[in-house]
Amino acid sequence: MQISIEGLAARHPAAAAGSTPALKPLTLAIQAGEQIAVIGPSGAGKTTLLHALACALKPAAGRLQLDGIDPWSLSVARLQKLRGRLFLAPQTPPLPPRQRVITSVLAARLPQQSLLASLRSLFYPTHIAEAEAALARFDLAGKLWDRVDRLSGGERQRVGLARALVSSARLWLVDEPLSSLDPSRVELAIDALTQSARDCGATLITTLHQVDVATRFPRVIGLRDGELQFDLPSHEVSRERLGALYAQHEHELLGAPPPGEDEPGGKQPAAMYCR
Amino acid sequence: MNSPASTTFTPPQLRDPAWISRLFWICAALVLLAPALFLTEFRPWTLFEPAALKSTQRFLGDFFPPKIEAEFLLLVARECWRTVAIATAGMALALLLAIPLTLISTSALSVSALPGRMHALPFIVRQGVRWLLILLRSVPELVWALVFVRVVGLGPTAGVLAIALTYGGMLGKVYGEILESDESHATNTLLRNGAGRLQAFFYGLLPQSAAELTSYTVYRWECAIRSSAVLGFVGAGGLGQQMDNSMKMFQGGEVATMLIVFMLLVGLADYASAWLRKVLA
Amino acid sequence: MSSPNKAPALAANETYRLPPKIFDARCAACWFMLGLALLTAASFLTLDLQWTKFLSLDAAQKMGKFLGELLSPATNPAFLQKLARASLETIAMSALGTLLAAMAGLALALPASRTHAGDPARWRAVTRLVLNGLRSIPELVWAALLIISAGLGPFAGTLALAFHTTGVLGRLFAEAIENAPPGPAFALRVQGTPAGRVFLYSTFVQVLPQLLSYTLYRWENNIRAAAVLGVVGGGGLGQMLAFHMGLFHMNETSSILIAMILLVALVDFASYISRRILQK
C-alpha cells in the first residue's frame, strides 16, 4: 500500500482541542512494499503516528492518503472496508485471556468473514491450517490449541504478530513488536516479520526501541517530540544522529525498554444484593 | 519442543482437540434442559392463544390511563407510608434481635479464646446462636408472613414480624462477619487488660467497624422496603395488599398507578440509601 | 456556661480542652439520629400493630400448637413424591428463568453499553430505562401480573423470574462490558471489524467469567425466590405451601418448610463449591 502524508498532525483522543499535538505536522511518502522502522525516545509520537496511519485517529491537521485515497473523505462503510486492509498490532498484545490461540489468530480474519461464518468459526475453527502456518513462522506451531493466558509474555507478543499473516492487510503497522521478547528471540521474530511482509507484499511500518534492530530495515525514520528528525536509508544513520535523537534519553538507547501501557486491572466494585 | 532441528518433527494437530468435550457439554445441556422445559410447563405459545391474548389485552388496555383520582391517590400515598413504616418498624425490631445475638455469637469478643482455644461452653453457645441466625434467615420472609397472618390475622403486624425475624437473622450473620473480619488487635488488647466484653466492644470493635455496619444496615433498610411491598401479597398490609386487591378485581388502571408509585418508591429508597451510605462513609 | 479565661485550674477541663458539644444545632449526625428516631416512632405509632393480639394467650396457644405440629412432618410416600416433584419444579423454574434472563440480559446489555469512546450508543439511555423498569418490579409482582396472561402454574413463575432477572443481569452485564479492558477490542475495531464480531471475538471472552459468576449468583437467588413465587400461584414449592397452609395441614406444611430450608442450604453449598472451582 502506498502512503503519502502532508502536514499531518495528530493528538491523543483525550487531549484538549487546542493543546500541542503529539505528532506535529509531518510530511512523508512511502512506496508500496517498503519496510520502515520508526525510532525515537518515548513520548516521541511513534505510536500516535501508527494510529494516525491506521485511521484509528482522525488527523488534527493535514492530509493522509492511502493508495491515493483520503480515508477520512470516505463514507463510514467504505472506511470500514479500507480498515479491513490495514493491520495495527498494538504494543500490548491484544489477546483476551481465556481465549485460545487459534481463535485469537483467526480474529484477524474477521473483516473478511460474514457474521455467520465467524459464529461458526467460534464453534469449530475454520482455516486451522492457515493459522497453524502463521504461527509456525514465529515458531509457535505447538501452541495452536493453548489458552492465551497460559503463554509467556513473549509468546503472546509473537501470537499478536502472527495475526498479521492471517489478515489480508496490505499495510502492517506494528508497535514495538519486540518489547517483551527475550533477546535470543529478537532476531528470529524480526526476520519472520520482515520476510512475511515481503511474502504477502505488504508495506511494513514498525516502531522500535532497539536501535540496532532498526538498522536491519532499509529505511529508518527518527522522531522526537512529535517532530521528524531524520528519514534516511539505514546505512546513513550514524551514531551522532542517534545520539542527538536520544539526547537526555540515553538509557533508552542502551536498550532499556519503555514502560508498556498498563492494562487496567479489571477489579470491579462489589455489587450488593438483597439476599 | 521448540528446537525444531534436533527433535523429531511432530506433525501439527489440525483438528480441534476440544471439539469432543464441547459437543458433549452441549448435548448434556440439552438433555438437562428438556426436563426443565417439561417441569415448568414451558409453553410460550399458550401466551398467544386467543383466550390468553384477550385477557392480556383487556388487562393491559385498562392500564392506560392510570387511575389518578384524588381519593385513590390519597389511598396509595397512605399505603406507601405503611410500606415504609412496616419496613422501618421491622428493621427496628430486627436490630433489637440482631445486636444481642451478634454480641453473643461473635468470637472477636471471646475472653476464653484469648490465650488460645475457646472453651467448650462458650463455643457451644456461639455455635447455637449461629445456627439460630441461619435458621431465621433461611426461611423466606414471605413464609414468616404467611405464618403470622395465620396467628395474628391480616394486617401490618404480620409484615413487621416477618421482616423482624428474617432480617434479624441476616443482620446478625453479616454483623458477625464484619466484626470478625476486622483487625482484632485493639479489642484483644483491651480484653487482655481486663476490660469487659461490652467495654471492649464499645472502645475497640465498634469504632473500627461502625461505618461498615451502618452502611450495611442502611442497605438492608432499602431491601426491607422492597420486601415489605411484596409481603402485602399474602395479606401483610402496605402497597402489595392494595395491588393484590386491584389485580384480583382486574382494575388495570389502579394496578398501573400503583406499579408506577412502587417503582418511584423503590427508586427513591435506592437513591436515599446510596446517598446515606456515601455520606456515612 | 460562661467560662472565665483567667481562672486557671479550677474547672476540670479548660474551655478549649472541652470536647465539642454533643448536641449542636448544626450537627448533621444529631439531626440524622433525630430524624431516624422520629421515623421509627412514627412507624410504630401509625401502624395499627396488634401487639395485644400477638402477645395474647390465644396467639401464644396458636403459635405453640403451630410449632408443635411443625415438629411432626408428614412423611407418607405419596406426599413425599409430590414434594420431590415440587422441589424439582422449583429448581427447574429457577434454572430456566435464569437461563432465559441471561440470554435476554446479554441481548439488552449490548445496546445498553458504551464500548468505546467513539461509540454513539444511541440506545443506551432507552435500554437502561427498560432494564431499570424490569429490575425494580420484584419477581412476586411480576408473577402476579403474568398469571393473567400465562395462567396459574410454573410457567408464569418462570417468566416472572426471567423478567426480573433480565433487568438485574442486563445492568450488571452492561457494566461488565463497559469495564472490560479495551485493548483487544480496539485492535479488532481498528482493522474494520464490525461491532458484533468485535464483541464475539474479544469482549465476550474477556467478560465471560464475570457473566458466569453473576448468572450463577442470580440463579442461587432465584431458587430462593422460586420457592415462594407459588404463594401467588406461580408453581413450585410455594404453591404447595400456600395450599396446605391455607387448609391448616400443619404436618404437610412442616415437610414443605423443611424441604425449602434444605433446598436453600443445598444451593448455598453448591454455590460455595462452584465458586471455589471457578476461582481456579
Side-chain angles (χ1 to χ4, degrees):
Chain A
M1 186 173 280
Q2 179 207 338
I3 305 163
S4 88
I5 58 180
E6 281 169 43
L8 182 90
R11 56 173 70 86
H12 293 295
S19 60
T20 14
L23 189 66
K24 291 175 189 143
L26 180 73
T27 303
L28 275 179
I30 297 166
Q31 297 309 311
E34 267 197 90
Q35 302 202 333
I36 299 177
V38 180
I39 56 172
S42 46
K46 300 181 301 247
T47 302
T48 314
L49 174 64
L50 286 196
H51 281 208
L53 290 177
C55 304
L57 262 183
K58 197 163 181 167
R63 227 154 55 104
L64 166 68
Q65 285 197 324
L66 300 174
D67 277 341
I69 304 164
D70 180 356
W72 295 102
S73 68
L74 297 175
S75 67
V76 175
R78 305 243 340 251
L79 177 58
Q80 278 300 85
K81 214 171 156 94
L82 174 69
R83 280 180 174 145
R85 304 180 52 217
L86 311 176
F87 179 84
L88 174 71
Q91 179 183 354
T92 330
L95 314 176
R98 281 165 200 274
Q99 200 170 46
R100 292 191 302 173
V101 170
I102 171 101
T103 321
S104 278
V105 172
L106 288 178
R109 284 183 53 87
L110 288 176
Q112 286 92 51
Q113 261 175 345
S114 72
L115 179 60
L116 219 63
S118 38
L119 272 174
R120 189 184 118 56
S121 180
L122 271 185
F123 198 67
Y124 189 98
T126 46
H127 307 281
I128 298 176
E130 204 178 322
E132 203 270 340
L135 286 170
R137 285 230 175 188
F138 290 92
D139 200 11
L140 280 172
K143 305 281 182 187
L144 190 61
W145 304 106
D146 285 13
R147 258 169 56 169
V148 166
D149 44 343
R150 305 267 156 83
L151 302 184
S152 72
E155 283 169 335
R156 255 180 269 176
Q157 197 154 29
R158 284 183 284 149
V159 171
L161 297 179
R163 277 179 131 183
L165 278 159
V166 178
S167 75
S168 62
R170 317 291 303 148
L171 171 59
W172 294 6
L173 302 157
V174 186
D175 200 1
E176 303 283 4
L178 314 172
S179 56
S180 38
L181 295 189
D182 53 64
S184 61
R185 294 252 174 226
V186 163
E187 299 262 308
L188 199 136
I190 209 74
D191 285 345
L193 188 66
T194 49
Q195 187 56 46
S196 314
R198 223 167 284 136
D199 293 349
C200 298
T203 313
L204 173 67
I205 303 179
T206 311
T207 66
L208 284 173
H209 66 265
Q210 289 100 328
V211 172
D212 47 328
V213 181
T215 51
R216 298 168 69 103
F217 284 74
R219 182 175 167 190
V220 178
I221 292 176
L223 280 182
R224 186 188 166 96
D225 297 330
E227 280 170 4
L228 184 69
Q229 299 295 314
F230 56 80
D231 175 4
L232 295 169
S234 52
H235 58 87
E236 288 178 32
V237 179
S238 60
R239 293 212 74 80
E240 292 72 48
R241 282 193 189 278
L242 288 177
L245 185 68
Y246 280 90
Q248 284 138 30
H249 292 273
E250 283 81 6
H251 56 283
E252 289 184 28
L253 190 55
L254 297 176
E261 17 175 332
D262 315 316
E263 285 271 325
K267 182 91 178 103
Q268 299 243 333
M272 292 219 248
Y273 305 95
C274 275
R275 260 290 164 185
Chain B
M1 140 188 218
N2 274 336
S3 44
S6 59
T7 53
T8 51
F9 179 73
T10 45
Q13 193 183 4
L14 291 187
R15 284 191 46 209
D16 191 341
W19 165 243
I20 294 295
S21 80
R22 201 175 285 185
L23 202 66
F24 168 76
W25 284 113
I26 290 171
C27 291
L30 287 180
V31 166
L32 278 177
L33 195 62
L37 290 175
F38 170 72
L39 273 173
T40 57
E41 301 165 21
F42 192 75
R43 290 188 284 266
W45 55 90
T46 53
L47 289 177
F48 302 101
E49 276 168 9
L53 215 53
K54 212 169 112 192
S55 68
T56 312
Q57 248 166 14
R58 215 184 47 213
F59 187 63
L60 284 183
D62 282 353
F63 261 48
F64 193 81
K67 192 172 177 183
I68 42 169
E69 286 159 25
E71 200 184 332
F72 178 68
L73 283 185
L74 206 67
L75 173 86
V76 171
R78 211 186 62 215
E79 293 304 330
C80 252
W81 162 249
R82 277 155 72 96
T83 301
V84 176
I86 290 172
T88 314
M91 276 300 284
L93 292 184
L95 280 173
L96 281 187
L97 184 68
I99 292 173
L101 289 182
T102 310
L103 289 180
I104 297 172
S105 75
T106 180
S107 59
L109 290 177
S110 166
V111 172
S112 68
L114 278 180
R117 278 191 56 191
M118 206 183 289
H119 291 174
L121 180 67
F123 180 77
I124 290 166
V125 170
R126 288 208 166 87
Q127 286 304 319
V129 172
R130 270 183 206 170
W131 279 103
L132 176 67
L133 289 173
I134 289 175
L135 187 72
L136 283 178
R137 78 185 183 96
S138 60
V139 177
E141 59 262 44
L142 208 77
V143 174
W144 283 122
L146 274 174
V147 171
F148 287 119
V149 164
R150 300 276 176 283
V151 176
V152 292
L154 293 174
T157 320
V160 171
L161 288 173
I163 290 187
L165 287 185
T166 315
Y167 280 56
M170 287 182 193
L171 287 175
K173 176 177 174 272
V174 176
Y175 283 176
E177 280 169 8
I178 293 175
L179 293 183
E180 274 163 33
S181 71
D182 271 335
E183 182 65 41
S184 60
H185 182 66
T187 322
N188 279 350
T189 312
L190 285 174
L191 287 175
R192 283 213 179 86
N193 289 342
R197 291 187 190 84
L198 273 181
Q199 288 168 323
F201 171 71
F202 281 115
Y203 280 80
L205 216 44
L206 188 60
Q208 271 184 352
S209 20
E212 207 177 338
L213 292 174
T214 26
S215 145
Y216 185 75
T217 314
V218 170
Y219 181 71
R220 272 283 147 216
W221 173 73
E222 180 200 333
C223 292
I225 290 183
R226 288 169 200 262
S227 50
S228 88
V230 166
L231 290 182
F233 276 82
V234 296
L239 207 51
Q241 196 165 355
Q242 225 30 256
M243 218 189 286
D244 195 33
N245 289 342
S246 301
M247 272 183 206
K248 284 190 177 130
M249 311 272 200
F250 287 96
Q251 295 288 340
E254 291 183 6
V255 175
T257 311
M258 280 187 283
L259 275 180
I260 293 170
V261 168
F262 176 70
M263 278 153 109
L264 287 179
L265 181 69
V266 169
L268 201 71
D270 193 355
Y271 184 78
S273 112
W275 177 79
L276 265 178
R277 278 182 284 150
K278 208 178 86 188
V279 168
L280 292 171
Chain C
M1 215 206 283
S2 68
S3 47
N5 270 351
K6 292 194 175 164
L10 278 176
N13 289 310
E14 290 162 60
T15 334
Y16 61 92
R17 284 193 184 155
L18 282 176
K21 283 181 189 166
I22 287 177
F23 199 87
D24 184 317
R26 278 172 300 178
C27 137
C30 313
W31 284 115
F32 174 68
M33 292 310 286
L34 190 69
L36 201 64
L38 282 178
L39 181 67
T40 315
S43 299
F44 277 105
L45 290 177
T46 55
L47 292 173
D48 41 345
L49 295 176
Q50 288 145 338
W51 295 120
T52 45
K53 211 168 162 189
F54 175 58
L55 299 171
S56 68
L57 203 64
D58 177 43
Q61 271 171 354
K62 258 194 198 165
M63 203 65 193
K65 196 166 143 238
F66 198 90
L67 288 176
E69 281 170 337
L70 278 185
L71 288 181
S72 56
T75 49
N76 54 316
F79 176 74
L80 283 188
Q81 208 174 358
K82 258 167 56 186
L83 191 62
R85 196 194 144 96
S87 305
L88 274 180
E89 195 174 291
T90 303
I91 295 176
M93 275 164 65
S94 63
L96 196 60
T98 314
L99 184 69
L100 289 175
M103 293 193 293
L106 188 59
L108 286 174
L110 291 180
S113 51
R114 176 177 283 124
T115 45
H116 56 105
D119 187 357
R122 288 180 202 91
W123 296 98
R124 190 168 182 263
V126 181
T127 332
R128 293 218 161 197
L129 201 69
V130 171
L131 288 175
N132 276 339
L134 287 171
R135 194 171 58 104
S136 66
I137 298 179
E139 301 97 338
L140 205 85
V141 180
W142 273 122
L145 284 170
L146 284 165
I147 279 166
I148 292 164
S149 334
L152 289 175
F155 181 43
T158 310
L159 284 186
L161 288 174
F163 272 69
H164 176 74
T165 312
T166 300
V168 177
L169 287 182
R171 206 178 99 143
L172 291 173
F173 286 2
E175 263 152 40
I177 290 172
E178 286 189 353
N179 290 336
F186 169 75
L188 290 184
R189 208 167 41 244
V190 83
Q191 241 190 296
T193 314
R197 274 162 259 180
V198 172
F199 177 75
L200 281 175
Y201 273 79
S202 68
T203 321
F204 184 62
V205 210
Q206 287 173 290
V207 295
L208 189 62
Q210 238 178 334
L211 303 196
L212 275 180
S213 85
Y214 283 146
T215 309
L216 278 180
Y217 191 85
R218 271 328 288 191
W219 183 22
E220 185 189 333
N221 269 356
N222 280 348
I223 295 184
R224 301 160 199 268
V228 294
L229 273 187
V231 171
V232 295
L237 278 175
Q239 200 156 343
M240 243 176 128
L241 180 78
F243 174 75
H244 287 292
M245 212 180 229
L247 296 174
F248 287 97
H249 292 162
M250 279 310 147
N251 304 342
E252 279 82 358
T253 304
S254 160
S255 308
I256 299 170
L257 282 179
I258 292 172
M260 258 184 197
I261 293 175
L262 280 182
L263 191 65
V264 170
L266 193 73
V267 168
D268 276 346
F269 182 68
S271 92
Y272 172 74
I273 295 290
S274 67
R275 222 159 289 220
R276 285 277 297 271
I277 292 173
L278 265 186
Q279 269 169 7
K280 275 180 204 161

